[in-house]
Amino acid sequence: MVSVSAMALGVAGMGAGAATADTVVDTVRVGTAPFGVAVSPDGSRAYVTNVVSDSVSVIDTAGNTVIDSIGVGDAPAGVAVSPNGSHVYVTNQLEDTVSVIETAGNTVIDTIEVGDTPVGVATTPDGLGVYVTNNGDDTVSVIETADRTVVETIGVGNGPQYVAFTPNGSRAFVTNALEDSVSVIETSENTLMNTIRVGDYPRGLAVTPDGLRVYVANGGSDTVSVIDTATDTVAQTIPAEDFPWGLALTPDGSRAYVTNLYDASVSVIDTATNSVVERIRVGNYPYGVAVSPDGSPVYVVNHEASTVSVIADGTCFGSFCTS
């Protein structure tokens, strides 16, 4: 079971002076013990789940201010926005449901029963489906968005956490934390087609825009696995900082942002070389991370600090800078 409290890549800069790089340009106070974050397709809103507050904070990204707080189910964790921005889907870990929020009025319009202890959630690229990882019973629930009902339940590995799709939606990848693997689902028939061994305790993952690679954060082994989707094998392993948790890619796929839970930092990976090029100090226990549609800013949820760090181009100082 995923903890509902704090539990649960780095190149330090060589100079002590100032440099222009990705850095924290703002910090936003949200609800208690935030967990996940998702940005709307137009970049105007960021939605943050708050585990202890049982709420979703809505951030206006123009001014980085919280403009609304939406009550949802017990211990909300994962969050996803539909491709057209009209709905937000939130997993409620302790009541085995998904809350459906209509963004026009920021109101919950439906609650859907899913499997045991749902954690991750993602919408299909066409917006017709929502996939939910159920950590407690090792399944993925498939929700049809038209009538908001569960139409399939797929068995995956032990302790499923997060889910991500290829750009064409033909495959879904699921991290299984308790068996150190990634399940590959063929979505046309919703069948398990492969299982890929990765590092220890995999958590966040993301698929590149060309669909050729999947990046997986392995919390227990302090690494990021790079999966070649043509062969469903790990092509490279990148050293990371202390307990990498969340992972998000820029829309052009050029950079991966990895939250390091016990290091209170974010590592930035250049995907052309698969090397860490920056390490950015954020708040305590960074969990979720999301990138704006234009590639900046980046939003990082700090679980223990109950804040969101906003990362963008700016001036940074000291060892958490690239000189």
Side-chain angles (χ1 to χ4, degrees), residues 26-282:
D26 208 346
T27 301
V28 184
R29 176 70 59 179
V30 290
T32 306
F35 194 106
V37 58
V39 180
S40 61
D42 64 2
S44 66
R45 299 287 184 267
Y47 299 88
V48 178
T49 55
N50 305 302
V51 174
V52 175
S53 299
D54 296 337
S55 66
V56 173
S57 296
V58 183
I59 297 173
D60 179 349
T61 60
N64 289 326
T65 56
V66 174
I67 59 171
D68 209 343
S69 180
I70 308 165
V72 289
D74 197 358
V79 56
V81 186
S82 62
N84 65 4
S86 63
H87 295 88
V88 172
Y89 300 88
V90 175
T91 58
N92 304 304
Q93 296 176 96
L94 297 186
E95 67 177 41
D96 303 339
T97 63
V98 170
S99 295
V100 183
I101 298 169
E102 188 172 62
T103 58
N106 285 335
T107 55
V108 175
I109 60 170
D110 206 349
T111 302
I112 306 166
E113 292 186 4
V114 289
D116 185 15
T117 319
V119 179
V121 58
T123 60
T124 57
D126 61 10
L128 300 180
V130 174
Y131 285 56
V132 178
T133 60
N134 302 307
N135 180 258
D137 61 17
D138 304 336
T139 65
V140 171
S141 297
V142 181
I143 298 170
E144 189 177 84
T145 57
D147 56 10
R148 298 194 288 273
T149 58
V150 174
V151 294
E152 295 277 359
T153 301
I154 309 164
V156 288
N158 193 1
Q161 298 294 313
Y162 292 92
V163 55
F165 294 95
T166 53
N168 64 7
S170 64
R171 296 204 288 173
F173 296 85
V174 176
T175 52
N176 304 305
L178 300 183
E179 69 171 40
D180 307 337
S181 70
V182 171
S183 295
V184 186
I185 297 170
E186 191 274 313
T187 59
S188 65
E189 299 295 331
N190 284 323
T191 56
L192 181 65
M193 62 181 293
N194 212 343
T195 301
I196 306 165
R197 302 297 298 183
V198 289
D200 185 23
Y201 206 76
R203 303 288 304 183
L205 78 168
V207 184
T208 56
D210 58 13
L212 298 181
R213 290 177 289 175
V214 181
Y215 285 75
V216 181
N218 304 308
S221 56
D222 297 342
T223 61
V224 172
S225 296
V226 184
I227 296 171
D228 181 341
T229 60
T231 60
D232 282 348
T233 58
V234 174
Q236 192 168 347
T237 301
I238 306 167
E241 294 298 327
D242 199 355
F243 213 98
W245 182 291
L247 191 150
L249 286 163
T250 53
D252 64 2
S254 64
R255 288 190 160 197
Y257 290 82
V258 183
T259 60
N260 303 306
L261 190 67
Y262 299 141
D263 189 55
S265 69
V266 172
S267 294
V268 185
I269 298 173
D270 180 342
T271 59
T273 60
N274 282 335
S275 60
V276 177
V277 294
E278 293 184 61
R279 181 160 150 253
I280 306 159
R281 175 69 72 186
V282 290

Side-chain angles (χ1 to χ4, degrees), residues 121 164 209 300 304:
V121 58
V300 176
E304 188 177 72

